[in-house]
Amino acid sequence: MKLDTRRTILVGFAFMAICAFWQVYDSIVPLILKDTFDMNDTLSGAIMAADNVLALFLLPFFGSLSDRTQTRIGRRMPYILFGTALACVFALLLPLANAGRNLPLFLTALALVLLSMAIFRSPAVALMPDVTVKPLRSRANAIINLTGTIGGVLMLGAIAVLVPKGEHPNYLPLYLFLIAFMALAVLVLFLTVREPQLHQKMLADSEGLPDEVEEQSAGGKLPPAMRRSLLLVLASIFLWYMGYNAITTAFSKYANVYWGLEGGSFAYTLIIAQGAAIAAYIPAGLVATKIGRRKTILCGIAMLAVAFGSCAFFKSFGGMIFFFFVLAGVGWASINVNSYPMVVEMSRGGDIGKYTGYYYTTSMAAQVLTPILSGAVLEYGWLALGSADPNAGYVLLFPYGTLFVALSFVTMFFVRHGDAKPVGKKDKLEAFGE
């Protein structure tokens, strides 16, 4: 049994477009809200959480809807094409609204582009398990995340180059680059991936393979022990996103206010972390085949907690920060590669989209709460610290992230299901052969 690496990379182009968008969204929108529209951190955090409020309802809906969709080009592809087209159109309005300091236009465009992204995110992610047999999904997800991270790194590079220093920079060149990138990525996906044929091939290849769900469940319901593991995995996802998303959402402001970095220079630190993640994705998938997904995730959580906890001690930007961001990148890769496959491992073939919705609903619930909560911590933390400096609360950002990541270790420790069943001894390189 071999994983088709080339096909998996092409399937990952949809996720590449998604990651490219969110990298720009998380890095630039907070700066626009703060610098152009003079919003405080709490209100800015609430607006940053708006996409996740939409996602709570829309991602499970479109994931489940795509499960029941049958078209000539597949179940997922119509949503990917339509959602991307809408997102590209509405994303162009964001820099225009920023340049004109038009808050109503900016918020309207933001709502429309977030709705467009919600249309295709679950279907795009569900495409990988639709065309990949269960034992190979961690390895496939490693490649998918590698592809997506490349998209994020490219956007970080674009931010560093295309966002000028100074007050009220022009973001139009950056967004034009983003739109062209997303459109090209999805066009390549559509022209090279024949979803219906690949799905039928996956079903044929899956015949005779051991299946934990088929063996243990009856009547379409998970047994209690497996349901408990599913809930614990989802709780872990919620907790580590509470910590991780707080850091990524506020990092551009943190680097500017607390470390004194200007313009898009903060992006270089994130590029280092993303580069480390790129290097770690495939090894993390291979490690999971040896020691299991759960143990690999626990190792990743420990690395992420150490990295965030260590960054809390830096009062100014220094070279050692790069080391800890490398550690964070490796830790996040180990978590990200294996968590989604653990969730869909407990699904049946006909409800992958629904379980994908569970995964994203949980992560989005955390990302609804944490920008608001962490924003309040940044804005009002100076009161708790007894400081006269209204920016003193920024010192609490990394301890906040560390706390929630550490809590996810506890819930993940008690998970007992979701690891792929072995299909026999294979040469480790064979899994990535053509």
Side-chain angles (χ1 to χ4, degrees):
M1 180 178 296
K2 299 179 181 180
L3 180 67
D4 189 330
T5 305
R6 176 181 174 276
R7 183 196 70 200
T8 306
I9 291 172
L10 292 170
V11 168
F13 272 45
F15 192 60
M16 180 187 287
I18 291 171
C19 290
F21 172 84
W22 291 115
Q23 188 64 70
V24 173
Y25 176 84
D26 286 338
S27 298
I28 301 303
V29 172
L31 294 177
I32 292 175
L33 293 174
K34 184 178 181 66
D35 297 335
T36 302
F37 299 116
D38 299 319
M39 289 190 183
N40 61 44
D41 289 316
T42 304
L43 182 56
S44 174
I47 291 175
M48 290 300 295
D51 67 304
N52 304 310
V53 174
L54 286 172
L56 284 174
F57 305 100
L58 296 180
L59 295 189
F61 172 76
F62 284 112
S64 182
L65 185 63
S66 67
D67 281 339
R68 303 191 300 272
T69 298
Q70 297 294 333
T71 73
R72 182 175 54 84
I73 59 174
R75 296 193 292 178
R76 318 298 181 186
M77 200 66 73
Y79 299 92
I80 296 171
L81 296 175
F82 183 62
T84 303
L86 289 179
C88 288
V89 171
F90 295 130
L92 184 60
L93 298 177
L94 296 176
L96 299 178
N98 172 68
R101 297 176 179 269
N102 188 331
L103 182 59
L105 176 61
F106 183 82
L107 294 179
T108 300
L110 197 63
L112 292 171
V113 76
L114 294 177
L115 174 61
S116 304
M117 292 298 297
I119 290 173
F120 80 99
R121 196 188 313 184
S122 286
V125 175
L127 184 60
M128 182 277 288
D130 263 358
V131 300
T132 308
V133 295
K134 283 191 174 185
L136 299 180
R137 285 176 184 168
S138 274
R139 299 165 186 167
N141 204 42
I143 295 175
I144 296 292
N145 278 277
L146 174 63
T147 309
T149 302
I150 290 172
V153 169
L154 287 173
M155 287 305 117
L156 284 171
I159 290 169
V161 172
L162 297 176
V163 177
K165 294 181 180 180
E167 295 184 1
H168 311 302
N170 178 17
Y171 295 114
L172 182 59
L174 173 64
Y175 273 89
L176 288 173
F177 182 78
L178 169 65
I179 290 166
F181 182 84
M182 290 177 63
L184 180 61
V186 172
L187 179 62
V188 170
L189 170 76
F190 176 67
L191 293 177
T192 58
V193 174
R194 298 290 180 260
E195 181 191 335
Q197 294 90 327
L198 292 176
H199 181 60
Q200 290 304 314
K201 184 178 184 300
M202 184 277 291
L203 294 177
D205 291 343
S206 298
E207 292 183 3
L209 292 179
D211 190 320
E212 187 177 25
V213 176
E214 297 295 341
E215 290 174 5
Q216 298 190 36
S217 63
K221 294 183 179 180
L222 292 177
M226 195 180 299
R227 188 182 306 114
R228 189 179 313 114
S229 284
L230 176 62
L231 292 175
L232 285 169
V233 170
L234 295 176
S236 303
I237 292 166
F238 177 85
L239 289 167
W240 67 55
Y241 267 102
M242 283 288 293
Y244 183 80
N245 186 253
I247 303 295
T248 58
T249 300
F251 184 74
S252 58
K253 294 188 295 183
Y254 181 91
N256 177 263
V257 172
Y258 195 70
W259 286 341
L261 301 183
E262 296 182 351
S265 58
F266 70 89
Y268 292 111
T269 308
L270 298 179
I271 289 173
I272 293 293
Q274 298 281 34
I278 287 174
Y281 277 128
I282 289 177
L286 288 172
V287 168
T289 66
K290 299 296 183 181
I291 67 173
R293 293 167 180 160
R294 171 182 165 273
K295 290 181 180 178
T296 305
I297 289 174
L298 288 172
C299 291
I301 293 171
M303 286 187 279
L304 194 61
V306 169
F308 285 170
S310 299
C311 285
F313 292 97
F314 289 90
K315 295 183 179 179
S316 60
F317 187 81
M320 278 298 293
I321 291 172
F322 288 125
F323 169 78
F324 290 114
F325 268 74
V326 167
L327 187 64
V330 174
W332 186 246
S334 302
I335 293 168
N336 228 15
V337 162
N338 295 293
S339 54
Y340 173 64
M342 285 193 80
V343 173
V344 295
E345 188 74 26
M346 291 180 267
S347 73
R348 293 174 179 268
D351 54 14
I352 287 174
K354 181 173 71 174
Y355 276 69
T356 300
Y358 291 161
Y359 175 88
Y360 276 106
T361 297
T362 303
S363 65
M364 290 303 129
Q367 292 173 82
V368 167
L369 178 60
T370 202
I372 301 172
L373 182 58
S374 63
V377 168
L378 297 183
E379 185 175 357
Y380 301 110
W382 64 278
L383 296 173
L385 295 172
S387 172
D389 181 4
N391 290 325
Y394 277 80
V395 74
L396 300 175
L397 178 63
F398 278 103
Y400 175 100
T402 304
L403 172 64
F404 284 102
V405 171
L407 288 173
S408 72
F409 188 96
V410 178
T411 52
M412 195 69 204
F413 184 81
F414 294 100
V415 172
R416 294 294 179 264
H417 299 274
D419 272 313
K421 288 200 168 186
V423 293
K425 294 183 178 179
K426 299 281 183 181
D427 185 282
K428 66 180 180 181
L429 296 178
E430 180 182 322
F432 292 100
E434 292 294 334

